[in-house]
Amino acid sequence: MAFVPGEIVGHFREHFGSAETPLLYRAPGRVNLIGEHTDYNLGYVFPIALEMACYVAIAPAAHGKLRVYSRDFKKEASLAIADIASAEASKQWSDYVFGVAQELQKAGFPIAACDLYVVSEVPAGSGLSSSAALEIATAVALLGGRDFPKVELAKLGQRAESQFVGMPCGIMDQYAAVFGHAGAALKIDCRSLGHEYVELPSNVRIIAANSLVKHELGTSAYRERVAECQQAVAALRELDPKIESLRDVALDFFERVQDSVPLVPRRRARHIISDTQRVVDLAAAARRHDLSEMGRLFVASHRSMQYDYEISCAEIDFLVDTAIQIPGVYGARMTGGGFGGCTVNLVAPEAVDGFREHLAAAYNDRYQKTPAFYDCLPAEGAGAVV
Ligand code: GLA
């Protein structure tokens, strides 16, 4: 979506009939390159923050409320400041905003009456983390320059989503929205909550292809996967009480003992343990500019999600299987929570046009839909827009 941040001030005033000059904040979406569902198992993930972002314009108001308008949903919602502490989710987009306000208050940061105008470029339900972008953009807007440690900001966004909205997510999306860095991917250690920036080879483009399948199954299946991983941990703890999460399980140990884990949790664990290793391997391959190894890891990760974690779907498998046949494509895999959304593709720069044409035509023939493509350039994390 073409969006000019400067125009938001006019839209804000027009919508709220306000003479205030709002301040503007942004937080990016993300595309995860590898390490899927490993975050809540305290492993590694490897996302990049995107230029596509959620923007929040904010100005003080005298109506005693937190009032928010979403230009994308064309809807307004409001909550009395006095009711923030006791508010509950209403299964609306505004839950992300009110959840963040509640968590900020709990953290000792009072919220004053204000108007918020929200515009997002991150397509919802596409696996590019539109919710975390909204949470973190809201949080930085409501903080308005008050000091808040960055890692705590990511954790606060995650709490808003898991405790208020009710989606038991890991930390990756909010962390990427906070710590994103132009020119580099983020290798995040979801146990220590530290990260390193890894520059990606310049002779490859990262292209996301949107299947346009929305992950409706998302929350219930996500919850199920979280529980199945816990079952795997319980079985493995019988063998080694030091194991607290799947992060603690080495691949060779798992291979030796996997028969003592019931079948479904065993397959889930195999995905998590191997994908955590693939993050380490992908970061190393990126550092030595080994594009064919990066591509191989992408495809291995996809197969692991497809067969062991069982979070792919026919449309996504078709996009991956078709992409990897196209000359100049090093690898492809699904990105994000699963059951639809986007694939992420590693493509030689000179092959990008052909890749898009070929993939769009094949998807159209098979599913009568044209995938949307996004050029993914690593961008900065959340902050004020000057
Ligand atoms: C969603 C969650 C993340 C992560 C991914 C899968 O985006 O919000 O925490 O678990 O799915 O990798």
Side-chain angles (χ1 to χ4, degrees):
M1 188 213 311
F3 167 66
V4 182
E7 289 175 358
I8 202 170
V9 173
H11 293 308
F12 177 98
R13 287 183 170 158
E14 199 178 311
H15 177 79
F16 291 117
S18 159
E20 297 279 352
T21 300
L23 296 175
L24 185 58
Y25 296 86
R26 77 176 265 292
R30 61 99 190 95
V31 65
N32 188 26
L33 299 185
I34 209 156
E36 220 65 76
H37 288 253
T38 45
D39 57 355
Y40 54 83
N41 289 292
L42 308 187
Y44 293 107
V45 290
F46 199 55
I48 57 181
L50 298 176
E51 282 172 348
M52 284 192 293
C54 176
Y55 292 83
V56 174
I58 183 167
H63 45 46
K65 291 184 254 178
L66 179 57
R67 183 167 66 163
V68 53
Y69 176 75
S70 157
R71 195 183 77 172
D72 307 299
F73 296 110
K74 309 232 168 340
K75 282 202 173 136
E76 190 176 288
S78 64
L79 177 64
I81 297 297
D83 294 340
I84 291 178
S86 60
E88 283 176 17
S90 61
K91 307 228 173 301
Q92 309 266 337
W93 60 275
S94 51
D95 286 348
Y96 298 100
V97 174
F98 298 151
V100 164
Q102 189 176 74
E103 286 299 331
L104 276 171
Q105 269 200 349
K106 276 198 219 160
F109 287 78
I111 309 293
C114 57
D115 288 324
L116 274 73
Y117 188 100
V118 179
V119 185
S120 188
E121 301 165 322
V122 190
S126 60
L128 300 180
S129 192
S130 59
S131 7
L134 174 55
E135 288 151 10
I136 299 300
T138 301
V140 288
L142 291 174
L143 278 166
R146 288 179 284 182
D147 256 358
F148 203 81
K150 279 175 115 180
V151 76
E152 294 304 321
L153 188 59
K155 283 160 73 180
L156 184 137
Q158 182 201 17
R159 283 202 302 279
E161 185 149 347
S162 58
Q163 290 174 26
F164 192 88
V165 178
M167 156 75 177
C169 64
I171 190 81
M172 166 168 67
D173 304 349
Q174 293 81 6
Y175 197 105
V178 171
F179 286 97
H181 191 45
L186 268 170
K187 181 182 164 207
I188 307 169
D189 179 334
C190 299
R191 183 159 60 191
S192 72
L193 295 184
H195 64 266
E196 19 177 330
Y197 291 115
V198 179
E199 261 184 55
L200 299 169
S202 58
N203 55 340
V204 71
R205 298 257 296 273
I206 298 167
I207 313 283
N210 193 342
S211 67
L212 307 175
V213 177
K214 298 234 166 153
H215 43 69
E216 245 104 66
L217 252 174
T219 307
S220 59
Y222 194 95
R223 206 178 285 286
E224 228 172 74
R225 296 299 179 279
V226 173
E228 289 160 349
C229 289
Q230 285 161 354
Q231 287 158 21
V233 170
L236 290 161
R237 269 177 80 89
E238 300 275 315
L239 305 171
D240 179 355
K242 290 196 295 297
I243 293 172
E244 286 176 0
S245 71
L246 291 177
R247 165 66 180 274
D248 298 322
V249 185
L251 195 50
D252 56 343
F253 171 79
F254 177 74
E255 274 160 4
R256 279 202 311 277
V257 303
Q258 55 177 315
D259 288 349
S260 32
V261 181
L263 185 60
V264 171
R266 184 194 313 162
R267 287 163 49 208
R268 307 305 187 232
R270 193 191 300 141
H271 165 73
I272 297 298
I273 298 165
S274 62
D275 228 32
T276 288
Q277 182 59 46
R278 279 186 287 267
V279 175
V280 176
D281 295 346
L282 188 77
R287 287 193 168 107
R288 23 169 236 277
H289 297 195
D290 185 344
L291 291 169
S292 55
E293 174 65 357
M294 289 175 73
R296 188 193 69 75
L297 290 163
F298 261 45
V299 178
S301 175
H302 186 74
R303 298 300 175 219
S304 176
M305 293 189 284
Q306 182 178 3
Y307 298 117
D308 276 341
Y309 221 60
E310 295 182 289
I311 51 170
S312 188
C313 63
E315 291 87 341
I316 290 281
D317 293 339
F318 180 87
L319 285 175
V320 167
D321 293 338
T322 309
I324 58 179
Q325 302 299 325
I326 301 172
V329 175
Y330 295 102
R333 60 182 293 280
M334 189 194 72
T335 185
F339 306 102
C342 288
T343 61
V344 55
N345 303 269
L346 286 179
V347 188
E350 64 282 5
V352 168
D353 291 344
F355 159 77
R356 289 167 66 135
E357 263 166 50
H358 186 124
L359 196 63
Y363 197 62
N364 235 312
D365 272 359
R366 178 75 176 76
Y367 291 106
Q368 293 76 52
K369 285 192 259 196
T370 307
F373 293 99
Y374 315 107
D375 216 331
C376 301
L377 289 171
E380 286 299 314
V385 179
V386 183

